[in-house]
Structures are given as structure tokens and as C-alpha cells.
């Protein structure tokens, strides 16, 4: 029997001080990745669970022939190194099956020799120790050679689409070992030995600045992605490839904290003022918005609904009459929950967070008849934004141009110093804007490029620094459009809102068993595994795309613009909107995991008998970390693609993204809400006055979290 819905969210629905039923605040900390154990467990599908015992058996058969008595954990370091060298020699044999057995023995070492451990912590300790040892003995280079052989192996490439994970056995073993080494060595711990720190730096350099080949390792993985999408290699295990590619980019280019440090250092080199704060750190301290519904507003909302029902046959604004994608003609999953009108009227009615909360609080607010007797409560506004506002030079120029046209009748071009003839409030406004003026690294880069174009002979060639990001971009440049298209194709296939098509790529080739399930419980297990598989793919693609955009923008803004352009050409904007056109709360609180089958738990504890209870026990989390992480990443990508781009902002309007984004505000997580509000803010002036009047709480949230300046200063009242 299935548990009630509250169990899936890890707790009961909360009531705020006003007594309204509300979804709980999500205690989520955004970062480069989840915990080490969670990231390692996502490498394996539940269909691969029997292979843990197979890896152990291959190791023990070889180990007992080489070492008499004892266990791996009992050997001294010199004997361990000698045994690893013998294993690497075994990878040189001609017989493919023998090579596979040796590779499985190496994989067992990388997995932490769990057969000799009594706890999960012990497995993770030996996995960390063994992976550093394997790298120091040259295992990664040996497996890289085998991977190149398997990629070019014509026998492994099947003409027909692979229908089970048997076709990708060798590739899965090789990629698993390489992923375990990259992920384990990447993560720094206080207890790391000095030689481990040296190995980490050497490994990062080896992946960033290749010695044995001209291209970085990440380019090989990008090539595997394009081969898979083109149909030439349908047996490639795409989830493992994408996870490894993401972790290689985090390791070589740097995560969000490294990126922030690089940005600070770059601003110092260019002589720019230091950054006032780290936005991610600030957002971790912010609280999610949950505007309550007041009785007066409820009456007004009901009256607006009645009036709009009477005017349902009137003509609407031309902008709102634009044709939408076919994805928005589907049935709205929130229609029954909110009791609102059809989706065509969603922009003009409270179909977002306000309408949902008003309906939930209908039994707790005061009835309309008693409204005059109740004192009106007032909203408590914050005293300012948690970060310093940023004003561009163009903002000051636009403001002065509009002011001069209004009060003087002519403009002075880009002159921002002459204020003759303008009233005193305009002087104060300009002073305030200049106090918050922000010069970005991109502005400096664009200015330098313009100067180089004007004087190419006198200024000479630009001195380009050989950074890991520059080397990767140079390697990707030739086939960069194909890489972006391939990633978005896989993202589309993995999106929960996508419908299966006969001509679409098969991303489940490395998860489907050779024998399909015959019982209901086996089908339930496979269904959970498939959903989990898709969620991990979405997580890895969203993270690596965001990482690429941010690093390319820091390296040079034109590299960022080139990648962004090809993402837009490949329909990235409607694809992300299609992803959010679902019940986003259900997606974030989804429970597509079986804790007893997760690594390293499944290697230590005896697996219980498969039944309905064992499929649901152990996972009492309030939300799914990877799904919330994916949603935030996709929103950040959408923000980066549309920021300061009028044509792309109009795509958001034409595709009717406002009701879709408003539904995402129901997720009570500050960082996610902030990026949703940013996307709504840039299109508010195109949605019309009626939309703004009907969504005043959303407008208030935008003002509080994005637009408000410090107290005591002028405010940009006309920004909306």
C-alpha cells in the first residue's frame, strides 16, 4: 500500500503564523555537488547491482593466485604497489575477456574492497586510499588507452540500437574506474596526506594540459556524446559519460568557489574595484518568500475573477495572442488544483503562487462580510537588499537621456556629467546611480577588443594566457555547435515532460536488463531506476552547461556569447521552459531511489527481500537534492541566455513563460525563487498593465529581492 503524499516530502505540511497551509521551507545548500557518498552512488544503476559481486569474484580469483594468504588491507604499501603493477600488466593481454576480468579487479579496488569492510565509512576510506594508489601507479593512463581502443572498436559498435546494458559492459567498467578516480581525487579533505595533495595537482594538470595527446580529456568525452547522438555508437553508456565529463570540468576548470576566487583575482589584475560579496554565499542566508493572503486581497481577487469571466469573449492584447509552442497546449497539471481558468487566461488571473495560496487559505481567512471590521495588516518590507545593487554605464546614460528629453528637450549623447537644467531630484538620482556603478570584466574585455580593431598594427596581437579554459575552448571550437546540440538532445530525451518518439535517441541502453521484468515488483524497481537514471542525466547536463557558460564568460565574454548563441539556435530556451511546464513541486520531492540498493550500503548490508516496503524504506528526505540542484542550474542557464538580450527576452514572452515560472515560485527555496523572479522581472514591461495589477504580490517580491536600493537613497520607481 502506498504511503500518503506527505511521506514523500519527508514531513507534514506546515502552517505559517497566519494559519495558512503551506509547503515546508527546503533546507538546501547549493554547491558544486552533493555529498561524496551520494555522488558515488549515482554512478551505478540498480540494474548493475549484481556486478558488485562479479567484480569481487574477479579480484579474489586473481589476488589469491598472486598473494598467498592474507587480505588486501593487510598488505604493506610496497606489496600493494607490486600487485597493482601485475594487474596493469594483465591489461596488455590480447584476449578481450581476460582484459575485462582484470579491469573488474581494478574496479573492485576502486570501489573500496568492500568484501573486507564492516561499515560504509570503512568502504569509503579504502576507496579513497586505493584510488590515490591506482593513480600513482599509472592506472588512469592505462584505462585511457583502453577507452580509446573501445571507442574505435568496430566490433563493439552495433548497427542496431542497443537494447540492454550487455553491449556496454566493457565501457561501463572503464568509465566507472575513471569516474571513481576523478571524483575521489578531486574532493579535498583535511586528512589528506602530502603526497595525495601532490597527486591531485599533478592529476589536474594532466587532465587540463595533455601530454600524450593534443586535446584535453574532456574533448574525448564530448566526442563520445556526439557519436552517441548521431547514432554511430548507440551502446555508449551516456549517464556515465556525462557524469565523468561534468566532474572532469569541475576538477580542471574549478567549481563555483574557485570561479569566484578567479573572478576576484582577475578584477585585481584589471584594476577594477573588488567584488562587494559572493552572491551564492549571500543567497544561502536568504529566506524563501511566502506572501500571505489577506482578506481584502481575497475579495479583490474574487471580484477580478468574476469580472474576467464576464469579459471572457473580449479581444485581448496582440502580444498575448501570440502562438505558443505545442508544449503549452497540453493539459495544465495545476488546473484542477487551483480551480483557475484555461491556460490562455493564466497570465491575466492568479494562476501562480498567489492563486494557490489564496485557495489554500480560503477556510482560514475572514469572510467578505466581516472585512470592514478587520484592521488591514501591512506588509513588512526589508530594509534593503542583501547585496549591493549594480548599475551599468548604459543605465546611467538611458536615465539621463530620458530625463533630458523630458525637461530640456534634447540629449547630450554619452555625457553623464553635465546636469545643467535638470531638477534637483534628478541630480540626486544620478548621484545614487553613480555610487552603485559597476564595471564588469566583460566591459573591459569588449573595450579592449574594440581598441584592437581600431589599431590592429600599433597594438599588435593580444597576449592570450594558456589557461585550462582557453585550451578547452580552442579544442571545442571546431565542433562546438554539434556538442551543444548533442547535449540538448539528451536533455530533451531525459526531461520528464518529453514524450517518447520512435526517432529519438535511446538514453536507456545502459540501464535496461537483458531479461525484462516479469513481476510487478521487478517492474516497480525498473521504473524507479529509469526515473532515477533520467534525473541524474538532467543533473549532469545542467551542471556542466552552467559551468561552461560561467568559465567561458570569465575567460572572454565573446567565447560566452558564441556558446550562448548556439544554445539559443538549438532551442535551449523553449526546452528549459518545457522542462518547467510540469508539477515542479512533485518533481523536486520525487522519491526515485531505493536506499538499500545505493552504494556503498548495498555492498555491506545483506539485501532484503524485494517487496513494496523495501522499495520505500530509508528515504525520508524532504526533497530530492539532485532535482532541486538541476532546477536551479536550468534557471541560471536561462538567466544567462536572456540577460540584456531583448530578442531572447521576447522569446520568454511569446512562449508564455510567466505562468510556468510563477508556478515554480511555490518551491520555498530562496535561491530558486530569486532566479525565477529575475526571469519574471525582465519581461514585466512586455506583459501589460493588467498582468502587473493581477500579480501585485509577485511584483512586490521582485521589488523586495531584486530592485530595492539601500534605505535613505533614491529608488528606481520606474524600473518596472
Amino acid at each position: 500500500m502506498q504511503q500518503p503524499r506527505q511521506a514523500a516530502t519527508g514531513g507534514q505540511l506546515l502552517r505559517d503564523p497566519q494559519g495558512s497551509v503551506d509547503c515546508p521551507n527546503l533546507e538546501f545548500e547549493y554547491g558544486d555537488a552533493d555529498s561524496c557518498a551520494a555522488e558515488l552512488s549515482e554512478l551505478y544503476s540498480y540494474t548493475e547491482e549484481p556486478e558488485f559481486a562479479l567484480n569481487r569474484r574477479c579480484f579474489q580469483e586473481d589476488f589469491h593466485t598472486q598473494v598467498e594468504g592474507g587480505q588486501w588491507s593487510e598488505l604493506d604499501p610496497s606489496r600493494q604497489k607490486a600487485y597493482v603493477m601485475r594487474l596493469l600488466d594483465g591489461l596488455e593481454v590480447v584476449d578481450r575477456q581476460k582484459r575485462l576480468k582484470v579491469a573488474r579487479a581494478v574496479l573492485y579496488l576502486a570501489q573500496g574492497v568492500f568484501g573486507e569492510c564492516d561499515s560504509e565509512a570503512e568502504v569509503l576510506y579504502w576507496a579513497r586510499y586505493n584510488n590515490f594508489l591506482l593513480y600513482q601507479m599509472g592506472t588512469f593512463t592505462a584505462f585511457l588507452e583502453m577507452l580509446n581502443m573501445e571507442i574505435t572498436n568496430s566490433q563493439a559498435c552495433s548497427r542496431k540500437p542497443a537494447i540492454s546494458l550487455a553491449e556496454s559492459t566493457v565501457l561501463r567498467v572503464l568509465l566507472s574506474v575513471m569516474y571513481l578516480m576523478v571524483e575521489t581525487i578531486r574532493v579535498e579533505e583535511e586528512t589528506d596526506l602530502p603526497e595525495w595533495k601532490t597527486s591531485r595537482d599533478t592529476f589536474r594538470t594532466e587532465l587540463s594540459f595533455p601530454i600524450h595527446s593534443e586535446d584535453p580529456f574532456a574533448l574525448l568525452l564530448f566526442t563520445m556524446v556526439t557519436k552517441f547522438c548521431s547514432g554511430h555508437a548507440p551502446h555508449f553508456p551516456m549517464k556515465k559519460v556525462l557524469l565523468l565529463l561534468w566532474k572532469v570540468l569541475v576538477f580542471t576548470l574549478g567549481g563555483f568557489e574557485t570561479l569566484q576566487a578567479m573572478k576576484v583575482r582577475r578584477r585585481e589584475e584589471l584594476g577594477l574595484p573588488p567584488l562587494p560579496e559572493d552572491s551564492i554565499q549571500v543567497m544561502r542566508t536568504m529566506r524563501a518568500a511566502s506572501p500571505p493572503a489577506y482578506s481584502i486581497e481575497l475579495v479583490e481577487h474574487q471580484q477580478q475573477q468574476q469580472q474576467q469571466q464576464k469579459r471572457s469573449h473580449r479581444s485581448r492584447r496582440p502580444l498575448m495572442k501570440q502562438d505558443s509552442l505545442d508544449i503549452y497546449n497540453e493539459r495544465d497539471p495545476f488546473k484542477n488544483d487551483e480551480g483557475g481558468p484555461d491556460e490562455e487566461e493564466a497570465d491575466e488571473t492568479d494562476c501562480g503562487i498567489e492563486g494557490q495560496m489564496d485557495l489554500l487559505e480560503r477556510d482560514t481567512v475572514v469572510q467578505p462580510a466581516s472585512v470592514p471590521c478587520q484592521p488591514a495588516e501591512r506588509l513588512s518590507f526589508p530594509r534593503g537588499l542583501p547585496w549591493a545593487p549594480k548599475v551599468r554605464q548604459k543605465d546611467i546614460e538611458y536615465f539621463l537621456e530620458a530625463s533630458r528629453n523630458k525637461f530640456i528637450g534634447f540629449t547630450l549623447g554619452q555625457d553623464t556629467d553635465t546636469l545643467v537644467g535638470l531638477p534637483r531630484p534628478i541630480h540626486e538620482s544620478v548621484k545614487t546611480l553613480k555610487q552603485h556603478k559597476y564595471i564588469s570584466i566583460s566591459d573591459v574585455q569588449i573595450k579592449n577588443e574594440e581598441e584592437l580593431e581600431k589599431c590592429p598594427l600599433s597594438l599588435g596581437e593580444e597576449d592570450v594566457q594558456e589557461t585550462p579554459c582557453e585550451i578547452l575552448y580552442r579544442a571545442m571550437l571546431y565542433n562546438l555547435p554539434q556538442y551543444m546540440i548533442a547535449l540538448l538532445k539528451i536533455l530533451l530525451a531525459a526531461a520528464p515532460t518529453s514524450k517518447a518518439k520512435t526517432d529519438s535517441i535511446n538514453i536507456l541502453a545502459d540501464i535496461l536488463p537483458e531479461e525484462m521484468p516479469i513481476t510487478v515488483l521487478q517492474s516497480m524497481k525498473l521504473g524507479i531506476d529509469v526515473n532515477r537514471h533520467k534525473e541524474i542525466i538532467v543533473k549532469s547536463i545542467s551542471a556542466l552547461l552552467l559551468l561552461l557558460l560561467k568559465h567561458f564568460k570569465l575567460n572572454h565574454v565573446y567565447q560566452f556569447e558564441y556558446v550562448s548563441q548556439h544554445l539559443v539556435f538549438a532551442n535551449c530556451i523553449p526546452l528549459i521552459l518545457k522542462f518547467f511546464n510540469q508539477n515542479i513541486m512533485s518533481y523536486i520531492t520525487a522519491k526515485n531511489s531505493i536506499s538499500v540498493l545505493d552504494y556503498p550500503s548495498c555492498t555491506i548490508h545483506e539485501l532484503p527481500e524485494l517487496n513494496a516496503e523495501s522499495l520505500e524504506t530509508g528515504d525520508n528526505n524532504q526533497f530530492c537534492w539532485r532535482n532541486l540542484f538541476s532546477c536551479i542550474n536550468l534557471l541560471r542557464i536561462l538567466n544567462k541566455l536572456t540577460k540584456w538580450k531583448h530578442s531572447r527576452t521576447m522569446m520568454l514572452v511569446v512562449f508564455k513563460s510567466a505562468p510556468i515560472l510563477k508556478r515554480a515560485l511555490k518551491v520555498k527555496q530562496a535561491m530558486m525563487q530569486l532566479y525565477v523572479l529575475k526571469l519574471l522581472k525582465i519581461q514585466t514591461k512586455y506583459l501589460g498593465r493588467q498582468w502587473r495589477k493581477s500579480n501585485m504580490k509577485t511584483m512586490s517580491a521582485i521589488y523586495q529581492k531584486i530592485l530595492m536600493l539601500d534605505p535613505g537613497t533614491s529608488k528606481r520607481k520606474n524600473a518596472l
Side-chain angles (χ1 to χ4, degrees):
M1 184 175 178
Q2 209 170 15
Q3 294 182 354
R5 181 178 177 82
Q6 285 85 346
T9 58
Q12 298 207 354
L13 295 176
L14 304 180
R15 288 183 177 266
D16 63 11
Q18 284 80 15
S20 64
V21 180
D22 200 1
C23 63
N25 284 289
L26 304 183
E27 299 296 330
F28 172 81
E29 184 171 341
Y30 186 81
D32 293 327
D34 203 352
S35 64
C36 181
E39 293 295 335
L40 295 179
S41 68
E42 290 180 352
L43 175 65
Y44 312 103
S45 63
Y46 297 145
T47 314
E48 295 177 278
E49 188 271 330
E51 295 188 9
F52 284 106
L54 180 58
N55 299 337
R56 177 181 177 181
R57 186 164 63 251
C58 291
F59 171 81
Q60 290 177 343
E61 290 176 357
D62 185 83
F63 185 76
H64 291 314
T65 60
Q66 302 288 342
V67 181
E68 295 182 359
Q71 295 180 330
W72 168 263
S73 56
E74 297 174 353
L75 298 181
D76 58 82
S78 60
R79 297 182 67 188
Q80 290 176 341
K81 292 180 180 179
Y83 178 70
V84 172
M85 288 300 298
R86 283 196 290 268
L87 283 179
L88 296 181
D89 291 339
L91 295 175
E92 303 292 336
V93 298
V94 178
D95 191 342
R96 193 164 182 262
Q97 290 302 319
K98 290 183 178 179
R99 289 202 310 269
L100 177 59
K101 286 186 177 181
V102 175
R104 286 193 178 278
V106 176
L107 177 57
Y108 177 73
L109 286 175
Q111 290 171 341
V113 287
F114 48 82
E116 304 175 12
C117 302
D118 298 325
S119 65
E120 296 180 17
E122 195 174 354
V123 174
L124 295 177
Y125 167 78
W126 280 108
R128 188 170 183 80
Y129 174 86
N130 291 343
N131 278 296
F132 273 100
L133 177 64
L134 290 172
Y135 171 72
Q136 292 168 358
M137 302 306 296
T139 307
F140 190 86
T141 304
F143 272 69
L144 180 56
E145 294 176 358
M146 290 185 63
L147 180 62
N148 279 307
M149 284 173 38
E150 289 297 323
I151 291 174
T152 57
N153 186 7
S154 58
Q155 294 180 354
C157 295
S158 174
R159 290 290 179 183
K160 297 180 296 182
I163 57 174
S164 72
L165 76 169
E167 285 85 350
S168 60
T169 301
V170 178
L171 282 171
R172 286 187 292 105
V173 172
L174 298 178
L175 292 169
S176 296
V177 173
M178 301 174 87
Y179 176 86
L180 290 172
M181 293 178 67
V182 170
E183 176 63 11
T184 304
I185 297 175
R186 178 189 71 85
V187 179
E188 300 181 14
E189 292 186 1
E190 297 179 356
T191 57
D192 286 351
L193 300 175
E195 56 265 26
W196 289 5
K197 297 179 181 179
T198 304
S199 298
R200 180 180 296 113
D201 296 336
T202 306
F203 194 20
R204 183 185 293 111
T205 304
E206 181 182 334
L207 294 175
S208 306
F209 307 95
I211 301 175
H212 304 288
S213 62
E214 297 180 357
D215 299 323
F217 176 58
L219 191 72
L220 175 65
L221 301 176
F222 273 115
T223 305
M224 293 183 69
V225 174
T226 54
K227 282 189 175 182
F228 172 80
C229 289
S230 64
H232 297 302
H235 65 291
F236 281 178
M238 242 333 91
K239 186 189 80 171
K240 287 181 167 56
V241 173
L242 292 169
L243 281 174
L244 179 57
L245 175 58
W246 168 37
K247 292 307 172 67
V248 167
L249 293 179
V250 176
F251 189 28
T252 56
L253 303 182
F256 297 120
E257 293 183 2
T258 304
L259 191 66
Q260 182 71 12
M262 293 168 60
K263 191 181 297 184
V264 171
R265 187 167 60 252
R266 184 68 61 85
R267 291 184 67 85
E268 291 178 357
E269 295 172 355
L270 296 174
L272 298 176
L275 290 172
E277 71 281 307
D278 182 359
S279 58
I280 293 182
Q281 295 295 334
V282 173
M283 278 184 274
R284 287 175 179 172
T285 62
M286 292 174 59
R287 296 184 60 186
S290 180
Y294 299 101
S295 54
I296 296 177
E297 294 174 353
L298 178 60
V299 175
E300 293 176 350
H301 168 64
Q302 293 172 342
Q303 291 175 351
Q304 287 177 2
Q305 282 187 331
Q306 293 173 358
Q307 293 174 2
Q308 287 162 358
Q309 288 175 357
K310 294 177 182 178
R311 301 196 310 261
S312 59
H313 298 291
R314 292 185 182 180
S315 61
R316 294 184 176 84
R317 297 184 304 276
L319 183 61
M320 304 312 298
K321 199 67 176 176
Q322 294 285 347
D323 289 337
S324 174
L325 293 180
D326 59 350
I327 58 176
Y328 305 114
N329 295 331
E330 299 173 3
R331 180 180 177 271
D332 188 353
F334 289 84
K335 184 176 178 181
N336 291 337
D337 295 340
E338 298 174 356
D342 295 337
E343 187 155 12
E344 289 184 354
E345 298 181 13
D347 287 64
E348 298 181 6
T349 59
D350 251 350
C351 67
I353 185 172
E354 297 91 336
Q356 180 74 5
M357 293 189 64
D358 286 347
L359 289 171
L360 287 174
E361 296 185 359
R362 189 167 290 179
D363 59 337
T364 60
V365 296
V366 183
Q367 296 299 321
S370 60
V371 168
C373 302
Q374 297 294 327
E377 300 182 39
R378 301 187 64 183
L379 289 172
S380 58
F381 291 95
R383 293 187 58 82
L385 285 174
W387 47 66
K390 297 177 181 178
V391 179
R392 301 181 303 161
Q393 176 68 19
K394 289 183 178 180
D395 294 333
I396 303 176
E397 294 174 3
Y398 292 156
F399 176 75
L400 279 174
E401 182 180 358
S403 301
R404 286 166 179 156
N405 282 327
K406 180 178 181 181
F407 294 104
I408 303 177
F410 63 89
T411 62
L412 298 177
Q414 297 180 348
D415 183 3
T416 59
D417 297 325
T418 304
L419 303 178
V420 178
L422 296 176
R424 176 58 56 183
I426 301 298
H427 289 224
E428 295 178 358
S429 299
V430 173
K431 181 181 177 182
T432 301
L433 291 173
K434 287 184 176 181
Q435 286 176 353
H436 297 91
K437 183 179 177 181
Y438 175 76
I439 302 176
S440 65
I441 297 175
S442 301
D443 295 336
V444 178
Q445 292 171 343
I446 293 174
K447 186 177 180 181
N448 292 339
E449 290 293 330
E450 291 175 350
E451 292 178 354
L452 283 172
E453 288 182 1
K454 291 179 182 178
C455 310
L457 296 178
S458 59
L459 294 178
E461 294 184 359
E462 184 181 3
D463 185 17
V464 180
Q465 188 178 359
E466 291 291 309
T467 61
C469 186
E470 182 68 28
I471 293 174
L472 177 63
Y473 180 81
R474 193 182 305 152
M476 292 177 60
L477 182 59
Y478 184 73
N479 292 316
L480 196 144
Q482 287 78 9
Y483 297 147
M484 297 301 108
I485 292 173
L487 289 174
L488 293 182
K489 275 186 177 180
I490 300 174
L491 181 62
L492 176 63
T497 53
S498 297
K499 297 180 180 179
K501 296 181 180 179
T502 55
D503 58 343
S504 61
I505 54 179
N506 182 15
I507 60 172
L508 304 178
D510 56 330
I511 191 176
L512 297 178
E514 295 183 76
E515 297 181 0
M516 295 305 291
I518 56 176
T519 65
V520 176
L521 289 173
Q522 289 176 346
S523 300
M524 288 176 58
K525 175 187 171 184
L526 182 59
I528 293 174
D529 204 6
V530 167
N531 291 334
R532 175 177 177 266
H533 183 81
K534 292 182 177 180
E535 291 172 359
I536 296 171
I537 289 178
V538 172
K539 169 188 173 182
S540 56
I541 293 179
S542 64
L544 72 89
L545 280 178
L546 177 62
L547 208 61
L548 283 175
L549 289 174
K550 291 186 72 67
H551 274 283
F552 285 154
K553 187 173 184 180
L554 179 60
N555 195 53
H556 200 290
V557 64
Y558 286 170
Q559 296 177 357
F560 162 78
E561 294 293 351
Y562 186 65
V563 176
S564 300
Q565 184 182 37
H566 284 291
L567 285 174
V568 174
F569 288 165
N571 287 330
C572 183
I573 292 177
L575 172 55
I576 295 178
L577 293 177
K578 179 177 182 179
F579 179 88
F580 280 96
N581 192 29
Q582 59 171 314
N583 190 329
I584 206 67
M585 273 303 299
S586 297
Y587 182 74
I588 287 175
T589 57
K591 190 182 176 185
N592 292 315
S593 62
I594 308 172
S595 57
V596 294
L597 297 180
D598 285 334
Y599 172 88
S601 174
C602 64
T603 62
I604 295 297
H605 306 293
E606 185 176 354
L607 298 181
E609 184 180 356
L610 188 65
N611 52 46
E613 293 182 359
S614 63
L615 292 179
E616 297 182 358
T617 55
D619 187 1
N620 294 320
N621 294 327
Q622 189 185 31
F623 59 91
C624 179
W625 194 96
R626 63 174 168 266
N627 289 353
L628 184 51
F629 179 73
S630 302
C631 290
I632 293 177
N633 288 338
L634 291 173
L635 288 171
R636 296 185 71 183
I637 292 170
L638 196 55
N639 266 283
K640 286 196 167 295
L641 294 180
T642 56
K643 189 175 182 180
W644 310 123
K645 299 291 189 297
H646 173 74
S647 59
R648 299 176 190 176
T649 302
M650 293 308 298
M651 290 178 68
L652 295 179
V653 179
V654 171
F655 293 148
K656 298 184 180 180
S657 64
I660 298 173
L661 294 171
K662 279 185 61 184
R663 287 200 293 266
L665 287 175
K666 296 174 186 175
V667 181
K668 290 189 64 176
Q669 206 283 325
M671 191 172 188
M672 181 169 174
Q673 286 185 344
L674 181 71
Y675 286 111
V676 171
L677 292 173
K678 283 186 175 184
L679 289 168
L680 287 171
K681 175 220 165 188
I682 62 176
Q683 53 179 317
T684 48
K685 60 183 177 181
Y686 306 112
L687 295 176
R689 183 178 299 176
Q690 183 60 40
W691 186 92
R692 294 195 292 270
K693 287 176 62 178
S694 303
N695 296 274
M696 285 308 298
K697 291 176 190 172
T698 303
M699 301 296 291
S700 298
I702 292 173
Y703 177 78
Q704 293 177 41
K705 292 185 177 294
I706 301 175
L707 290 176
M708 181 181 290
L709 296 177
D710 292 336
T713 62
S714 301
K715 300 176 178 127
R716 290 179 284 168
K717 295 182 180 179
N718 297 325
L720 295 177

